[in-house]
Amino acid sequence: MGARLSAPAIAAQRATSSAVHIEVVQETGSTNADLMARAMAGALPALLIAEHQTAGRGRAGRSWLAAPGDALTFSLAWRFSGGAQRLAGLPLAVGVAVAEALARLDVPVQLKWPNDVLKDDGKLAGMLIETQSTAGATLAVIGIGLNLLVPAALEQQIGRAVAAAPWLARMDRNTLMAALLDALVEALSAFELHGFAPFAARWNQYHAWAGQPVRIVDHGATLQQGVAAGVDDSGRLLLDTADGRVAISAGDVSLRLDVR
Ligand code: ATP
């Protein structure tokens, strides 16, 4: 484990001066749950980082596991104007921000629709976005878990292809967190103004399974099969099926490589 995470060290290493309230806690169940509980009452934007997250969550009630000190687990709460329907492409825009930040740190990654960051075919980072709308505004809490080192026991427990980033594990985690925060702030500010459209081509540059046969599954049932053709201007996955091109909205569906 590198230097301890510290809010002043992260703030000092940011390249931009836009205000973000930063807080580090030793241990919590879920940084997303904590920021969702504060809702709009807390300072915004807010970054909450946990040295150890004991009940990390993925989509649809799945869990996100992390060993203390071997991962970066954090959530960023951000206020957007308008309703939650404006945020459909947000997980993909966040993926672009993370992928570009990691590429600048010499860690090449790919994006798996809708919300995973892959490295060498394993999952390096996952993300969960939760929202709460009030009159005219929506609070988005963007939770990210990034593996630095993955001990064998944890990999076994997860039971799926996971990836680690030993190169990032050797970095000062405050420097890494500052780089990710800067990239996220830039992406969220741009998303607020322009939506997902300006991110589409950038997302497609990182598309993990471009041109490959894939399946869309929901609770184990295959909904669609086709060749992954990238995403459109609203973040829907374009799939070339036997019946022509279809656009899939994220919802809770999952994408799988089709091994035929
Ligand atoms: P998919 O789209 O492939 O179904 P998902 O995006 O729905 O995945 P998430 O909800 O983002 O998955 O994340 C939860 C899943 O991630 C868990 O079910 C588990 O398989 C996997 N997982 C949990 N912890 C880790 C970790 N530290 N590294 C990689 N994968 C993990």
Side-chain angles (χ1 to χ4, degrees):
M1 191 192 317
R4 293 195 79 72
L5 286 164
S6 120
I10 294 165
Q13 294 191 64
R14 292 188 61 204
T16 62
S17 56
S18 65
V20 176
H21 175 80
I22 303 176
E23 190 181 337
V24 177
V25 293
Q26 280 312 300
E27 182 173 314
T28 190
S30 153
T31 53
N32 255 43
D34 293 346
L35 288 181
M36 285 293 279
R38 284 180 205 171
M40 302 260 194
L44 289 171
L47 174 72
L48 178 63
I49 316 149
E51 283 278 4
H52 186 201
Q53 184 177 244
T54 55
R57 298 180 287 151
R59 297 188 304 154
R62 292 181 282 261
S63 52
W64 184 263
L65 306 172
D70 286 340
L72 262 191
T73 48
F74 62 91
S75 298
L76 180 60
W78 192 274
R79 183 187 180 283
F80 289 94
S81 56
Q85 72 286 352
R86 277 193 59 211
L87 306 183
L90 185 61
L92 286 86
V94 169
V96 169
V98 172
E100 290 178 348
L102 294 180
R104 285 193 286 271
L105 297 169
D106 292 326
V107 177
V109 295
Q110 295 188 302
L111 296 173
K112 172 184 166 258
W113 186 89
N115 67 340
D116 289 346
V117 179
L118 305 185
K119 177 172 169 280
D120 307 325
D121 298 326
K123 191 148 145 179
L124 179 70
M127 145 204 342
L128 174 69
I129 299 187
E130 296 177 287
T131 60
Q132 248 177 71
S133 294
T134 54
T138 300
L139 175 78
V141 174
I142 299 153
I144 297 182
L146 170 67
N147 296 327
L148 299 176
L149 300 175
V150 181
L154 181 67
E155 186 166 7
Q156 255 177 21
Q157 205 183 339
I158 295 167
R160 275 173 66 179
V162 302
W167 173 246
L168 295 181
R170 283 161 51 191
M171 264 179 89
D172 178 337
R173 285 180 304 154
N174 295 306
T175 312
L176 174 60
M177 187 66 249
L180 290 168
L181 179 59
D182 281 340
L184 287 167
V185 167
E186 195 189 329
L188 300 179
S189 309
F191 189 95
E192 164 77 18
L193 291 175
H194 310 295
F196 180 70
F199 291 92
R202 287 153 71 191
W203 195 95
N204 285 327
Q205 279 181 7
Y206 289 98
H207 185 183
W209 294 345
Q212 302 212 47
V214 295
R215 273 176 302 137
I216 299 289
V217 298
D218 186 10
H219 296 96
T222 298
L223 301 183
Q224 292 274 7
Q225 262 179 309
V227 171
V231 297
D232 69 8
D233 276 358
S234 47
R236 295 178 305 174
L237 180 72
L238 299 171
L239 207 59
D240 288 329
T241 73
D243 301 324
R245 180 165 283 191
V246 294
I248 316 278
S249 303
D252 267 339
V253 295
S254 295
L255 186 67
R256 295 283 176 269
L257 253 190
D258 220 352
V259 271
R260 281 189 265 197

